[in-house]
Amino acid sequence: MAKARSNRSVLVLAGDGIGPEIMREAMRVMEFFDRRRIASFEVSEGLVGGSAYDADGVPLTDATLARAQAADAVLFGSVGGPRWETLPFELQPERGLLKLRKEMDLFANLRPAQVFEALAEASSLKRDLVAGLDLLIVRELTGGIYFGDPRGIETMPDGTRRGINTEVYTEAEIERVVRAAFELAQKRAKRLCEVDKANVMESGLLWREVANRVKADYADVELSFMYADNCAMQLVRAPKQFDVIVTSNLFGDLLSDCAAMLTGSLGMLPSASLGAADAQGRRKALYEPVHGSAPDIAGKDLANPLACVLSLAMMLRYSFDLRDEADLVEKAVRATLAAGARTADIARSGETRLSTRSMGDAVLAALERAL
Ligand code: IPM
Ligand code: MG
């Protein structure tokens, strides 16, 4: 399993709220690989979000952004919290994350929703609807209404105000993310569903047109289309109909929260945000749990670290091609859950609730056993 290369640079940005607690557990997994001489990482840490604001007056400094650009991979925790909610918009913690995504050009956001057998009961849906579920949402991450111009709040001549955001996609922006989704579908069940509101929005029409055109290069993948509102409904009606979904930034944000809950908890879902491959086949990448900073439980050692640990597994797979090691981490998480380990978010009444640290201990013990 051991690979010779040891110059894997990872910038860890734990962020705010539960970010630092869950990140500590993910970092122990990297330490495990190091200790067992399986793979080593050059880990450095930086600030992002509210904690960066507190230290430097901005949610992401240029220096931290430069370090992120230079790293082989960024491992990200979560940002935000009530302490910073009254800050001007441009200084809010979330702007740090959005700036990282945009400046690093991480256009393809992979959000897998997999139901672990041991957790099928924790889903809000009936067991048979979700057991075995394995779908992947590919969310466009650097365009659309999140970044489109014009935007802002402006005062009209009559003194009333209006808020403006713009959904705008170029063909090139659509094409690159759709291609990424086709390629992922080829490695899975070969079904891709493009999701939009082409019945209302011209940008959606363009998404359909581009997806249809690109399809010619992926003859083995079946392409279908769905309106976003219907997709939200189908996700809770019959989620197993999906293999890969590709959609815009905003719809992907909404649908991935919905898909996450099918798996029992938002605390379980990892994600990878990838840029384009360079000539050497290397891509910029950032890995982060789909959940937020959960200020209500921050600092209490209650948060579920598994989404962060599974994000690390995605990093091993997508940035470092350490497939066996990624499998090992996922297997350890599966074994931990199968043995009954539960943090509060996935525990049913009467079940023992582990702390963040104890869940990390359980994963590490499972890793040791799996070697
Ligand atoms: C997500 C989050 C972010 C988003 C926030 C924190 C800016 O909800 O990653 O899904 O809207 O993209
Ligand atoms: Mg979201």
Side-chain angles (χ1 to χ4, degrees):
M1 195 184 275
K3 309 270 175 6
R5 213 177 129 230
S6 65
N7 58 334
R8 303 179 187 92
S9 66
V10 179
L11 177 65
V12 169
L13 300 175
D16 311 322
I18 59 171
E21 306 159 58
I22 57 170
M23 190 60 80
R24 271 196 289 277
E25 303 313 311
M27 288 173 78
R28 287 169 79 202
V29 174
M30 279 193 279
E31 286 155 20
F32 161 83
F33 283 117
D34 234 331
R35 192 169 58 242
R36 303 303 297 250
R37 300 190 187 287
I38 295 168
S40 60
F41 305 90
E42 228 176 81
V43 178
S44 67
E45 294 184 63
L47 295 174
V48 70
S51 51
Y53 173 80
D54 290 344
D56 302 308
V58 285
L60 179 75
T61 63
D62 290 343
T64 305
L65 175 60
R67 287 169 67 201
Q69 301 268 27
D72 289 325
V74 177
L75 197 55
F76 187 98
S78 55
V79 287
R83 277 177 57 201
W84 303 286
E85 261 162 26
T86 51
L87 286 176
F89 189 70
E90 281 311 310
L91 293 177
Q92 295 207 349
E94 290 78 5
R95 308 305 305 173
L97 173 60
L98 294 168
K99 189 168 173 185
L100 273 169
R101 290 175 178 170
K102 186 71 177 174
E103 295 294 322
M104 293 173 74
D105 205 15
L106 305 172
F107 61 89
N109 180 217
L110 281 46
R111 297 190 163 190
Q114 273 172 358
V115 170
F116 288 89
E117 179 51 31
L119 283 188
E121 308 293 341
S123 172
S124 45
L125 295 191
K126 294 190 196 86
R127 183 189 176 89
D128 61 315
L129 284 183
V130 296
L133 177 75
D134 177 7
L135 67 83
L136 174 65
I137 297 185
V138 181
R139 168 189 176 192
E140 199 291 327
L141 201 60
T142 52
I145 201 162
Y146 270 54
F147 296 99
D149 283 315
R151 66 183 300 156
I153 300 174
E154 62 179 34
T155 305
M156 315 267 286
D158 68 358
T160 61
R161 294 186 306 157
R162 62 178 190 177
I164 305 159
N165 291 93
T166 307
E167 175 83 343
V168 49
Y169 272 111
T170 64
E171 287 191 270
E173 284 176 315
I174 300 169
E175 180 165 340
R176 63 181 184 171
V177 73
V178 166
R179 280 195 186 277
F182 268 113
E183 272 153 34
L184 289 157
Q186 274 182 326
K187 296 187 194 130
R188 298 174 42 104
K190 299 189 170 41
R191 284 183 289 116
L192 177 63
C193 181
E194 188 274 344
V195 171
D196 57 46
K197 281 288 289 178
N199 51 346
V200 182
M201 296 160 66
E202 286 82 354
S203 58
L205 281 178
L206 192 62
W207 269 79
R208 283 194 180 209
E209 204 183 285
V210 172
N212 257 326
R213 186 176 71 224
V214 167
K215 156 98 186 76
D217 294 340
Y218 304 90
D220 53 337
V221 177
E222 177 196 311
L223 175 67
S224 61
F225 298 98
M226 199 178 272
Y227 296 137
D229 51 348
N230 184 26
C231 181
M233 189 266 276
Q234 295 297 338
L235 275 172
V236 291
R237 192 188 74 87
K240 284 192 256 182
Q241 70 186 280
F242 297 105
D243 177 27
V244 180
I245 289 172
V246 65
T247 190
S248 66
N249 205 341
L250 180 62
F251 294 150
D253 181 43
L254 307 181
L255 295 172
S256 63
D257 264 29
C258 180
M261 205 54 216
L262 302 174
T263 70
S265 167
L266 205 48
M268 295 297 304
L269 278 239
S271 80
S273 305
L274 308 176
D278 66 15
Q280 285 77 46
R282 289 161 36 124
R283 10 176 127 243
K284 295 212 173 93
L286 180 147
Y287 301 86
E288 59 171 318
V290 171
H291 63 68
S293 59
D296 51 324
I297 57 164
K300 296 186 179 156
D301 201 19
L302 289 174
N304 184 346
L306 295 180
C308 198
V309 169
L310 291 168
S311 298
L312 175 103
M314 291 187 90
M315 176 183 90
L316 299 177
R317 177 167 291 118
Y318 290 105
S319 281
F320 301 126
D321 202 25
L322 293 168
R323 279 173 257 179
D324 296 342
E325 290 75 4
D327 286 347
L328 190 71
V329 174
E330 285 161 4
K331 199 172 131 201
V333 167
R334 217 171 298 127
T336 304
L337 293 169
R342 301 283 186 274
T343 39
D345 57 315
I346 49 177
R348 286 188 294 164
S349 62
E351 280 179 336
T352 311
R353 289 148 192 245
L354 293 186
S355 65
T356 309
R357 174 43 56 108
S358 311
M359 184 59 112
D361 289 342
V363 172
L364 280 176
L367 278 171
E368 294 283 359
R369 275 196 305 276
L371 270 191

